[in-house]
């Protein structure tokens, strides 16, 4: 079975940094696209960033709201996805979900979701 | 303001058929696949329908999707109380070079 386990979220001050990780199991990790999707408290879903599988040449894409501040990466040898978040803002407060794509491209549907981890940005 | 537009809420009675609309543009829905997600209260979203009306294993045939031009729709037939949830549409956007979501639709089963 596919399992996606996000690292524990934290309380971070505005302007601070945090790196989330997502340990994946139950599938050929390198083959599939992996994405981060977030949900602010009481709000809808927002795509954050995507990392293509080997079939897409490992392309990365970012939402405009995080471009230049967040970096998505993956370690295929460890079956782990990362999201490095810098210069955090109050509006980055959200539950962050790790997702597995149905295919190798970041444009493929999010077939599996982790349970999510809460990141709170507050002073 | 979401790139894809969904009605904030829809409702129906058990056994009824309801539809949730999702409106976009030529840079997203018209030229890319649409996927639909269900989020039950307090849980992570779950993929319901994707690509050309494909359903992951375990998703009932009661859930189906369609697309015409820049709009898509999720239909739920034989409505059940456990279908009460938030529903989101999503698609790749060629102009933004990213995935865009609808604002979500809350389905209430009366």
């Amino acid at each position: 079975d596919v399992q996606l386990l996000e690292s524990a979220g934290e309380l971070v001050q505005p302007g601070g940094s945090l790196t989330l990780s997502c340990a994946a199991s139950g599938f050929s990790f390198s083959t599939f696209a992996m994405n981060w999707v977030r949900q602010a408290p009481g709000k809808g879903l927002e795509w954050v960033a995507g990392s293509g599988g080997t079939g897409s040449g490992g392309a990365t894409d970012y939402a405009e709201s995080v471009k230049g501040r967040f970096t998505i990466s993956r370690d295929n040898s460890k079956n782990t996805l990362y999201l490095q978040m810098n210069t955090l803002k109050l509006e980055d407060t959200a539950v962050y979900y790790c997702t597995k794509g149905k295919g190798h491209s970041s444009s493929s549907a999010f077939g599996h979701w982790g349970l999510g981890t809460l990141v709170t940005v507050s002073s | 303001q979401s790139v894809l537009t969904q009605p904030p809420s829809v409702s129906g009675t058990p056994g009824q058929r309801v539809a949730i609309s999702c409106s976009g543009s030529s840079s997203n829905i018209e030229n890319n696949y649409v996927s639909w997600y269900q989020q039950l209260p307090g849980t992570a979203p779950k993929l319901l329908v994707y690509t050309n009306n494909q359903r992951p294993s375990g998703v009932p045939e009661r859930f189906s999707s369609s697309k015409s031009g820049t709009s898509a729709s999720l239909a739920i037939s034989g409505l059940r109380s456990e279908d009460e949830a938030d529903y989101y549409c999503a698609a790749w956007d060629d102009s933004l070079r990213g995935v865009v979501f609808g604002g979500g639709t809350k389905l209430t089963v009366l």
Side-chain angles (χ1 to χ4, degrees):
Chain A
D1 281 6
V2 172
Q3 289 196 28
L4 303 171
L5 184 60
E6 298 99 343
S7 55
E10 294 182 25
L11 171 63
V12 186
Q13 289 194 336
S17 298
L18 179 66
T19 298
L20 300 180
S21 64
C22 170
S25 61
F27 64 100
S28 177
F29 180 76
S30 63
T31 302
F32 293 91
M34 299 294 295
N35 287 264
W36 290 96
V37 176
R38 69 184 180 183
Q39 186 170 34
K43 303 296 185 183
L45 301 174
E46 180 189 17
W47 173 80
V48 174
S51 170
T54 49
S56 72
T60 57
D61 298 287
Y62 298 91
E64 202 61 42
S65 59
V66 307
K67 204 171 288 185
R69 299 188 300 122
F70 290 13
T71 301
I72 188 172
S73 62
R74 61 197 296 164
D75 186 335
N76 291 333
S77 68
K78 295 182 178 179
N79 291 349
T80 302
L81 180 73
Y82 301 96
L83 183 67
Q84 181 179 347
M85 304 183 290
N86 297 327
T87 318
L88 282 161
K89 304 176 180 180
L90 297 176
E91 53 264 39
D92 294 319
T93 294
V95 172
Y96 285 73
Y97 294 102
C98 169
T99 72
K100 169 190 170 291
K102 293 290 287 181
H104 62 78
S105 167
S106 290
S107 64
S108 56
F110 308 132
H112 291 84
W113 297 63
L115 294 179
T117 188
L118 177 62
V119 173
T120 303
V121 183
S122 174
S123 55
Chain B
Q1 193 83 355
S2 301
V3 174
L4 304 183
T5 302
Q6 297 179 234
S9 63
V10 298
S11 63
T13 56
Q16 253 190 337
R17 177 185 184 276
V18 297
I20 298 172
S21 62
C22 176
S23 177
S25 69
S26 58
S27 65
N28 41 65
I29 289 179
E30 186 165 35
N31 291 301
N32 292 291
Y33 293 122
V34 178
S35 52
W36 289 88
Y37 302 87
Q38 177 193 59
Q39 186 174 32
L40 296 169
T43 69
K46 165 190 161 184
L47 178 63
L48 272 185
V49 188
Y50 65 105
T51 311
N52 292 323
N53 198 25
Q54 295 187 64
R55 286 179 303 277
S57 61
V59 175
E61 291 182 7
R62 303 187 295 108
F63 295 90
S64 63
S65 68
S66 62
K67 188 177 87 168
S68 178
T70 59
S71 293
S73 182
L74 173 72
I76 308 172
S77 60
L79 201 59
R80 304 174 70 160
S81 58
E82 56 260 42
D83 297 333
E84 194 160 278
D86 293 324
Y87 292 83
Y88 295 89
C89 60
W92 180 262
D93 190 293
D94 294 324
S95 298
L96 296 174
R97 190 147 181 87
V99 177
V100 291
F101 280 96
T105 298
K106 181 174 183 58
L107 169 63
T108 301
V109 181
L110 302 170

